[in-house]
Amino acid sequence: MKDPTHSVVRGLLTTQRGWFGFLVVLVTFALYAAVASYPFLAHDDNFFVTENDYVKQGLTRESFIWSWTATLGFYHPLTWLSLMVDATIFGVNSGAFHLTNLWLHIANTLLLFHFVKRATGETGKSLVIAGLFAWHPINVETVAWVSERKGLLAMAFALLALIAYVRYTEKPTAARMGSVVAAMLLSLLCKSVAVILPALLLVLDFWPLKRLPAGEPEGQAGLEFWHRTLRLVAEKIPLFILSGAFTFLTFHAESNVGAVRSLAQFPMADRAVNCISAIPMYLKQLLIPHGYAVYYPSARPSAGGLLLLITAVVLLLWCVVRNLRTRKYVSVGILWFLVCLAPILGLIKIGTHLMADRYMYLPQIGIFVALVWMIGDWKWMTIQRQLLLFSGVAALLIFSTHRQLACWKDDLALARNGERVTGKNALVCFGMGIGYDVIGERERSLGCFREVLEYYFDYPGTHYNIARAYVLTGRPKRALVHLDLALRQSRYDPRYHNLLAGVLCASDDPAIRDGRKAVEHASFACRMSPNGNSLYLDTLAAAYAEAGEFEQAQWTATEAMKLGASAEVQTSIRRRIQLYTEAKPFRGILLHDAVVRRGKG
């Protein structure tokens, strides 16, 4: 006789799946709703939004063209356009940008459910995977950081490509493959994460789509096996071409900004250790929802530690081979995880970090699939027990995510969390310096930036921020020393030239002032921002005034007013224009990015 409780539970998982889906969406929104009150962070949000005049002016003809031509470390025009649309609709409002990220995460959760359900036909398991994805704390970085808009958008289009591919396998046509190519292209135009998609589709061909045989048969059957395998590879040639093109484009863009580490900076042996270390570490971060930070510094493990890491990787690969014919979902889940991680494990070294939580946004799905299907196959694990287990895990994940989300409420909280998790390092000290600067504690900020020099003396950004702190605390001569060091390391950064020009033209110390040099540096900063930058133009106007060119100063300051500066900045510029009309130069501090860092720009 059939257990009535079993029937009720199964009914909930089928006929009431819409309510379960609604519950996932509702809980996810409630869990992350606090981000609506979070400010922009100085950690990359300045680059993407608060100090980016193209984004701040919203969607215009100029900004649209720029989004398709800019290669500032990435090539992601659709990401730029998305941020510009936010600015057009909501202005530079941090809460609105954060909520857009949240809605994209919710959309990705629903798309993931639809993809897994369509590929496997399993409604209950698909809902569980969607819940794990929606509430896992490893995704807090992706959702709560405005700069990770690119990852959210890329994931959305990648999932659409996967759904389109499942649809294609149901009835293969050129038009349906065209939709896969189009969705993959859109994903790549947001972030290059989809370069792994062709390999990932081959994994899915094995299971659950069952288009690829489990092993190599002998004789005539063997020939058929290889013919079918080659056909599956051949149909994906357009996808492989896209993947290769965007891999080259991304590498070129990263190289242009100096992010790609040479073999002299990071030898091949260190890269291999990085790859071996990262795989078990990512798995640990997924299975033990605790101890997340924005930066994990690269570190060489001990001989014993390295042996344990190698053992873990070998065991993972053994699980793939061991389950190829029996529990295919285990092999496919692990392969999904490894294939998605492959480009970011560090063989091509970009930056100095060992790993990053945001890189797990797509790979985690494979581990979730392997675990959920494996638990579902245990005979003693009844539906009721599965629901109980999922409820417990969901509660743990929601609690962990709630705690982790608080670490992203501002720059200082983020840096303090990093210190708790990874210990003190250069990026932690740098983050604390930014955090204290945002809340106006200049001396503590200065102390933190000085600590960064003990780890990495030649980083120009540290010298720039020390110079800023000296300017803000009335010590321009000391600021000049660090600006010189910053410009030796990075001659083309417009921020450094702009700050130097401001000191040279507006300092109270006549021994420092030099109007001609100020015009030279301010003009260079403006040339490096061809679409115009209100802050740089304002500095150029003050430089012209110091050089005695008051009419040019008035005109330049008026142009700065037209570029969409914040109300606070516009008020300052109006006061200076009044001085220029009276043939008086400005004396004081020209440092509007202090306004931007307070989240008002």
Side-chain angles (χ1 to χ4, degrees):
M1 184 174 177
K2 193 175 282 188
D3 180 2
T5 307
H6 183 278
S7 300
V8 169
V9 174
R10 188 168 292 279
L12 284 172
L13 291 174
T14 54
T15 60
Q16 301 299 320
R17 61 181 177 270
W19 287 106
F20 275 84
F22 176 74
L23 182 64
V24 169
V25 170
L26 188 64
V27 172
T28 305
F29 185 84
L31 180 60
Y32 279 99
V35 297
S37 64
Y38 287 7
F40 291 112
L41 298 175
H43 189 61
D44 280 4
D45 285 353
N46 58 333
F47 172 77
F48 282 93
V49 183
T50 56
E51 294 178 26
N52 189 315
D53 279 345
Y54 294 99
V55 171
K56 289 196 294 181
Q57 69 183 259
L59 197 55
T60 65
R61 181 177 178 274
E62 291 78 13
S63 62
F64 179 83
I65 293 171
W66 177 84
S67 69
W68 291 94
T69 55
T71 54
L72 307 176
F74 309 93
Y75 184 71
H76 49 211
L78 294 189
T79 299
W80 291 124
L81 291 173
S82 168
L83 295 169
M84 289 169 189
V85 168
D86 270 9
T88 301
I89 298 172
F90 307 111
V92 187
N93 181 316
S94 61
F97 280 74
H98 280 299
L99 285 176
T100 301
N101 273 24
L102 173 52
W103 284 116
L104 283 169
H105 180 57
I106 290 172
N108 286 338
T109 300
L110 297 175
L111 286 170
L112 176 60
F113 166 74
H114 182 63
F115 160 63
V116 180
K117 167 70 168 61
R118 184 151 186 171
T120 65
E122 292 279 358
T123 302
K125 291 184 175 71
S126 302
L127 277 171
V128 170
I129 288 169
L132 294 173
F133 174 81
W135 305 328
H136 202 291
I138 204 168
N139 295 327
V140 168
E141 179 175 303
T142 300
V143 182
W145 190 13
V146 170
S147 298
E148 260 309 289
R149 176 70 58 84
K150 55 187 180 291
L152 291 157
L153 285 169
M155 179 68 151
F157 288 117
L159 287 169
L160 286 172
L162 291 168
I163 293 167
Y165 183 71
V166 175
R167 183 170 172 267
Y168 164 79
T169 61
E170 294 165 354
K171 184 182 177 182
T173 65
R176 291 191 173 192
M177 178 54 76
S179 66
V180 179
V181 174
M184 178 179 171
L185 176 60
L186 291 172
S187 180
L188 290 167
L189 290 171
C190 299
K191 187 180 179 180
S192 57
V193 64
V195 294
I196 49 83
L197 206 57
L200 203 57
L201 297 181
L202 284 171
V203 172
L204 294 176
D205 283 335
F206 177 63
W207 185 90
L209 302 178
K210 299 176 182 176
R211 303 177 73 211
L212 194 64
E216 181 182 350
E218 298 178 357
Q220 190 63 33
L223 290 175
E224 178 58 29
F225 166 86
W226 286 109
H227 285 156
R228 196 187 315 179
T229 302
L230 289 173
R231 281 199 301 270
L232 292 175
V233 173
E235 71 181 6
K236 298 173 182 64
I237 286 175
L239 303 177
F240 280 110
I241 291 172
L242 266 182
S243 179
F246 273 83
T247 298
F248 171 78
L249 196 60
T250 301
F251 181 81
H252 179 70
E254 293 281 9
S255 298
N256 282 347
V257 296
V260 179
R261 305 297 172 187
S262 68
L263 286 172
Q265 294 171 307
F266 214 83
M268 187 56 71
D270 289 341
R271 295 171 192 238
V273 170
N274 201 125
C275 292
I276 292 167
S277 301
I279 293 172
M281 286 294 292
Y282 276 121
L283 203 54
K284 169 187 167 290
Q285 295 294 82
L286 192 64
L287 299 179
I288 303 174
H290 174 72
Y292 301 103
V294 72
Y295 176 73
Y296 303 95
S298 294
R300 182 181 282 274
S302 64
L306 183 59
L307 183 61
L308 284 174
L309 292 168
I310 292 172
T311 303
V313 174
V314 170
L315 283 173
L316 208 58
L317 295 173
W318 177 82
C319 285
V320 172
V321 177
R322 177 72 177 79
N323 292 285
L324 278 173
R325 294 183 181 276
T326 52
R327 292 184 289 269
K328 296 177 183 178
Y329 51 77
V330 172
S331 298
V332 166
I334 295 172
L335 283 173
W336 176 299
F337 171 70
L338 294 175
V339 167
C340 292
L341 281 181
I344 43 87
L345 284 175
L347 202 57
I348 297 176
K349 190 66 177 171
I350 296 174
T352 60
H353 54 279
L354 170 66
M355 51 189 278
D357 296 342
R358 60 190 177 274
Y359 295 159
M360 277 294 286
Y361 202 54
L362 182 59
Q364 64 189 299
I365 296 169
I367 301 301
F368 291 156
V369 167
L371 289 175
V372 170
W373 254 261
M374 184 171 64
I375 291 169
D377 267 7
W378 291 342
K379 292 182 180 180
W380 59 272
M381 184 63 77
T382 62
I383 295 292
Q384 297 95 320
R385 287 173 178 171
Q386 289 180 44
L387 275 176
L388 188 62
L389 175 62
F390 172 64
S391 299
V393 170
L396 174 63
L397 295 180
I398 289 169
F399 174 74
S400 298
T401 294
H402 176 72
R403 291 190 62 183
Q404 183 63 22
L405 196 61
C407 300
W408 285 82
K409 66 180 180 180
D410 56 46
D411 289 282
L412 199 53
L414 190 62
R416 285 172 173 164
N417 175 67
E419 184 175 23
R420 282 194 299 270
V421 174
T422 66
K424 186 169 281 191
N425 55 60
L427 195 67
V428 163
C429 294
F430 191 89
M432 285 190 173
I434 295 292
Y436 284 123
D437 178 64
V438 168
I439 62 176
E441 295 192 24
R442 311 295 182 199
E443 290 300 331
R444 294 185 76 175
S445 171
L446 188 55
C448 291
F449 287 127
R450 285 172 176 156
E451 282 190 82
V452 177
L453 298 181
E454 297 175 13
Y455 294 95
Y456 187 19
F457 184 81
D458 290 334
Y459 180 52
T462 306
H463 291 290
Y464 166 73
N465 278 285
I466 290 173
R468 281 185 77 262
Y470 279 135
V471 170
L472 287 166
T473 53
R475 291 172 279 184
K477 285 185 178 178
R478 292 189 180 185
L480 291 176
V481 173
H482 287 278
L483 280 171
D484 179 61
L485 290 168
L487 284 166
R488 287 182 187 180
Q489 299 296 325
S490 181
R491 291 184 299 151
Y492 300 107
D493 194 312
R495 296 173 302 162
Y496 307 168
H497 288 276
N498 183 66
L499 180 57
L500 178 56
V503 173
L504 292 174
C505 73
S507 173
D508 290 324
D509 187 346
I512 290 176
R513 293 198 300 271
D514 188 328
R516 289 291 93 196
K517 282 189 177 180
V519 169
E520 179 183 330
H521 285 286
S523 297
F524 183 87
C526 291
R527 286 198 303 274
M528 294 299 288
S529 302
N531 198 47
N533 182 303
S534 57
L535 309 184
Y536 298 167
L537 282 173
D538 182 34
T539 303
L540 180 59
Y544 279 130
E546 174 60 26
E549 300 178 35
F550 293 104
E551 287 188 10
Q552 188 68 23
Q554 291 178 54
W555 181 87
T556 304
T558 303
E559 289 298 303
M561 295 275 288
K562 297 176 183 177
L563 289 178
S566 69
E568 190 171 347
V569 171
Q570 290 201 21
T571 300
S572 298
I573 295 174
R574 285 193 191 97
R575 293 196 191 109
R576 280 188 277 280
I577 290 175
Q578 183 60 40
L579 286 173
Y580 306 152
T581 58
E582 298 169 3
K584 296 178 181 178
F586 171 74
R587 295 287 176 265
I589 296 173
L590 280 168
L591 204 58
H592 298 314
D593 65 337
V595 176
V596 172
R597 282 187 176 178
R598 294 199 303 272
K600 297 180 181 179

